[in-house]
Amino acid sequence: MSLKSKVIIVTGGTSGIGEACSRHFARLGAKVVAASIQRKEGRTLAKVHGVHFVHADVSDEKSVQSLVSRTLELHGRIDALVSNAGVLRMGPVSEFDEAMWDAVMGVNVKGNLWLAKHVAPVMKGQGRGVICITTSVAAFVGFPNHTLYCASKGALEALVRSLAVELAGYARVVGVCPGTIDTPMLASSCKGWAKPVAEIYAEVEKKIPVRRLGTPLDMARAIAFLISDEAAYINATCLVMDGGTLALPPW
Ligand SMILES: NC(=O)c1ccc[n+]([C@@H]2O[C@H](COP(=O)([O-])OP(=O)(O)OC[C@H]3O[C@@H](n4cnc5c(N)ncnc54)[C@H](O)[C@@H]3O)[C@@H](O)[C@H]2O)c1
C-alpha cells in the first residue's frame, strides 16, 4: 500500500484522529496539507513532521476555497481529501439553541458540503480522486444528550452515498465510522461526570470486544488504506472501526 507523493488534505489535521493521519501519511511519503483552526498546533506539526499547515475554518466557504487554492498552488493537484474536522456539543435537547445548531451542523455537515463543492471540480479535472469523510457510530447509536451530534453524523452517512453516486467515474467517496477513540474530543465528552476520565475509560474498555479504546493511529492506518489505490473498488460505504462495539447485544 502506498501513499508516496500523493497530495492529501486532512481537515482537523492538527488534533486527535486528524493529527495522526497527518503524521502517518507524511511518514508514508505523502504531501500532506493539514487544515484546522489550531494555529499553534499547526505550526508545531509543520515544523516537526514536515506537513504543510493551512489555517481554515471548514464552516466558512471562503476559507475552504482558500484551502483548496493554496493546496493547488503548493502541489498542483489533490489526490485525496480526508474530511475529518468535527465538533461535539452535548446537552439535553430542551437546552439546544441556534448557536449550538450552527456550531455542530456548520462544521460537521456544512463543512463537508463546502469541501466537496470545491474539491470535486479539481478531482473531475484530474479524472481521479478520493474523498474520505469521518462519520461516527453516533450515526447509529442513540447516545443520550448527543442528539445534534448524532443527527449531524447520520447526515454524513447519507452524504457519502450521495456524493459517491454524483462523482461517479472520477472520484471515490468513502467514510470512516470511529467508535471510542482516545482523543481530546473523547476526553471533552467526559466533562461533568463525577468520575475521573481514566476510570470512565477503564469501564468503557471492559465493554469493547477488543478490550481497549481505539487510538488515533488505528484510524490513520485504516484511512491510509481506504484512500490508497489498493482500495480502488471500495466506494459509497463507511468502514466501522469500533473494536466490535456495534455488535454488542443491547442487554
Ligand atoms: N474521538 C472519538 O471517539 C470519535 C468517535 C467518532 C467520530 N469521531 C470524529 O472524528 C473526527 C475527529 O475527532 P477527534 O476525536 O480527533 O477530535 P479532536 O477534537 O481531537 O479534533 C478535531 C479537529 O477538528 C478541528 N476543527 C474543529 N472545528 C473546525 C473548523 N470549524 N474548521 C476546521 N477545523 C476544525 C479541530 O481544530 C481539531 O483539529 C471528528 O469528525 C469526530 O466527530 C471521533
Side-chain angles (χ1 to χ4, degrees):
M1 189 198 70
S2 172
L3 294 185
K4 197 157 177 48
S5 300
K6 298 250 189 219
V7 178
I8 307 170
I9 296 177
V10 182
T11 69
T14 52
S15 176
I17 296 169
E19 183 192 4
C21 286
S22 299
R23 292 167 58 162
H24 186 57
F25 303 164
R27 265 198 306 275
L28 293 175
K31 295 172 184 167
V32 178
V33 176
S36 82
I37 50 174
Q38 296 171 296
R39 288 186 198 278
K40 190 164 143 271
E41 290 81 353
R43 276 195 295 268
T44 308
L45 196 63
K47 211 186 286 172
V48 181
H49 299 284
V51 311
H52 198 96
F53 171 69
V54 175
H55 182 272
D57 175 352
V58 297
S59 67
D60 172 4
E61 184 174 10
K62 284 203 165 52
S63 191
V64 168
Q65 251 173 321
S66 308
L67 166 64
V68 171
S69 308
R70 184 73 189 117
T71 307
L72 292 174
E73 261 168 42
L74 284 166
H75 301 300
R77 62 178 202 278
I78 301 169
D79 296 305
L81 163 68
V82 173
S83 189
N84 163 82
V87 294
L88 168 70
R89 296 285 186 281
M90 297 186 313
V93 70
S94 53
E95 285 173 21
F96 276 135
D97 56 25
E98 206 159 338
M100 285 164 112
W101 170 273
D102 289 344
V104 175
M105 291 300 182
V107 176
N108 297 7
V109 182
K110 192 167 68 172
N112 269 292
L113 284 161
W114 293 146
L115 283 155
K117 174 178 172 177
H118 293 285
V119 164
V122 176
M123 292 181 172
K124 189 172 189 181
Q126 299 168 168
R128 55 179 290 148
V130 190
I131 296 175
C132 178
I133 295 176
T134 307
T135 74
S136 171
V137 290
F140 310 114
V141 176
F143 292 109
N145 295 321
H146 282 65
T147 46
L148 197 44
Y149 182 78
C150 289
S152 75
K153 294 298 184 176
L156 295 184
E157 292 281 324
L159 186 68
V160 165
R161 289 188 289 272
S162 178
L163 274 179
V165 173
E166 184 169 329
L167 312 192
Y170 61 91
R172 288 190 296 120
V173 184
V174 293
V176 286
C177 181
T180 316
I181 316 303
D182 190 359
T183 70
M185 182 186 283
L186 184 69
S188 78
S189 73
C190 299
K191 269 184 205 145
W193 288 46
K195 298 172 192 170
V197 169
E199 214 173 294
I200 299 169
Y201 284 4
E203 281 174 25
V204 172
E205 280 173 334
K206 277 188 215 150
K207 293 183 189 154
I208 299 171
V210 299
R211 300 286 184 261
R212 64 173 177 86
L213 299 183
T215 66
L217 186 58
D218 288 327
M219 302 301 113
R221 286 181 172 137
I223 295 170
F225 168 66
L226 286 175
I227 62 173
S228 75
D229 295 341
E230 278 72 11
Y233 209 65
I234 302 178
N235 194 22
T237 190
C238 297
L239 176 65
V240 175
M241 292 188 287
D242 67 347
T245 314
L246 278 188
L248 287 170
W251 55 82

